[in-house]
Amino acid sequence: MKFVDEATIRVEAGKGGNGAVSFRREKYIPRGGPDGGDGGDGGSVYLVADSGLNTLVDFRHQRRHRAHSGQQGMGRNCTGRSAEDLFIKVPVGTRVTDLETEELIGELLSNGQRLLVAKGGFHGIGNARFKSSTNRSPRQFTPGSMGEERDILLELILLADVGLLGMPNAGKSSLISKVSSATPKVADYPFTTLHPNLGVVSLGTGNSFVIADIPGVIEGAAEGAGLGLRFLKHLNRTRLLLHLVDMAPMDDGVSPAQEVRLIASELEKYSDDLYERERWLVLNKIDLMTAEEFAEKRAVVLEELDWQGPVYSISALSGEGTRELMQALMKRLKTLREQDEPVEVVEKAEEPWDPLKE
């Protein structure tokens, strides 16, 4: 299935049913009085998170989603039937934004979570409810209000604890395939990853986390070069970043330290928050040189970067050093999870206008 992480749709809530104007007319009952019933409420539109979905591709084919309108009121004080709400399934991790105002409507972060995106119209009032001691035969009624209509942007942002970051061909896909059951495309040329991949790293009962591999970042990604800009957003919800560095680049003139600086610069241009996120340096491809050569290169890279954070040396291809790295990640993630505050989900839901409350 094609991976689609953005879609624009239009949601239209149903109109409220009009109130009825009716008078009781029965034989032998000369003063029946008003008996017009209220209309029914229009259906609202909700988004529902479904863990069984992993792409927004279905919304490329169906862009308009409309709830039904409420039924009109009837005589004999019969109330019109309210319309059923419309529930639209979306993947867990979907962010919803109003296209016109660019307002964040909410985010769906857990399976089964609901988010109101268009409120149904309020029902109209029938003439029976306008009867009073001074108005015994009212002909007043109110029409049902229109339901909300809006164009919204759906953005699927992967929910992962750890994000892999690096230049093309740094070994991100090899690493995620080695430490999890994910099976991304792995080849000896750049840009083999064309869409994000998720993998679950399991280190025993109760010890697991999700790791995300995104397409390689190149210079100018923050301005739209390559695939970096489109997929950098998938790192927004990660707790920690692993910056993979190719210590044996195909081009001898490439400096690993310079590539680290380049990606750090792109992160800063894209998001200050992402730039300041905790980031570990992972020096890859230790299997392609002797221990002495690698130690010398490692010392040069760390000195040029003046790196003060955690550093790990691995071979994503053979798996050397990866278990120690995953165990360290698990330990750190447990600490971060304990420090995390509950995520507040933004929902916009306004109370309908009731003319009789004024």
Side-chain angles (χ1 to χ4, degrees), residues 113-169:
Q113 181 183 345
R114 295 181 181 182
L115 178 65
L116 175 66
V117 293
K119 181 70 176 176
F122 185 65
H123 61 264
I125 306 300
N127 69 331
R129 293 178 62 184
F130 287 94
K131 179 180 178 181
S132 68
S133 59
T134 58
N135 188 7
R136 307 304 297 271
S137 301
R139 295 184 178 275
Q140 300 100 315
F141 77 99
T142 62
S145 62
M146 298 298 297
E148 290 184 327
E149 299 181 4
R150 55 168 48 146
D151 294 309
I152 59 176
L153 172 65
L154 305 180
E155 295 178 281
L156 175 57
I157 300 179
L158 300 180
L159 298 176
D161 300 293
V162 178
L164 298 181
L165 192 64
M167 297 289 283
N169 212 38

Side-chain angles (χ1 to χ4, degrees), residues 82-235:
S82 294
E84 294 185 356
D85 294 330
L86 176 63
F87 297 96
I88 306 170
K89 293 182 178 181
V90 296
V92 175
T94 300
R95 173 185 294 170
V96 188
T97 307
D98 188 303
L99 273 180
E100 183 178 356
T101 64
E102 298 185 352
E103 172 191 6
L104 175 65
I105 300 174
E107 297 181 329
L108 296 153
L109 303 177
S110 58
N111 186 46
Q113 181 183 345
R114 295 181 181 182
L115 178 65
L116 175 66
V117 293
K119 181 70 176 176
F122 185 65
H123 61 264
I125 306 300
N127 69 331
R129 293 178 62 184
F130 287 94
K131 179 180 178 181
S132 68
S133 59
T134 58
N135 188 7
R136 307 304 297 271
S137 301
R139 295 184 178 275
Q140 300 100 315
F141 77 99
T142 62
S145 62
M146 298 298 297
E148 290 184 327
E149 299 181 4
R150 55 168 48 146
D151 294 309
I152 59 176
L153 172 65
L154 305 180
E155 295 178 281
L156 175 57
I157 300 179
L158 300 180
L159 298 176
D161 300 293
V162 178
L164 298 181
L165 192 64
M167 297 289 283
N169 212 38
K172 301 184 298 299
S173 297
S174 297
L175 176 60
I176 195 173
S177 64
K178 179 62 67 174
V179 301
S180 73
S181 57
T183 56
K185 183 178 181 180
V186 178
D188 59 354
Y189 55 84
F191 297 109
T192 53
T193 301
L194 299 178
H195 59 78
N197 294 293
L198 286 180
V200 178
V201 178
S202 179
L203 299 174
T205 304
N207 293 316
S208 63
F209 60 90
V210 179
I211 190 168
D213 163 32
I214 69 167
V217 178
I218 64 172
E219 185 174 5
E223 285 77 36
L227 299 174
L229 177 64
R230 179 180 174 186
F231 294 119
L232 275 174
K233 65 184 177 184
H234 291 292
L235 300 177

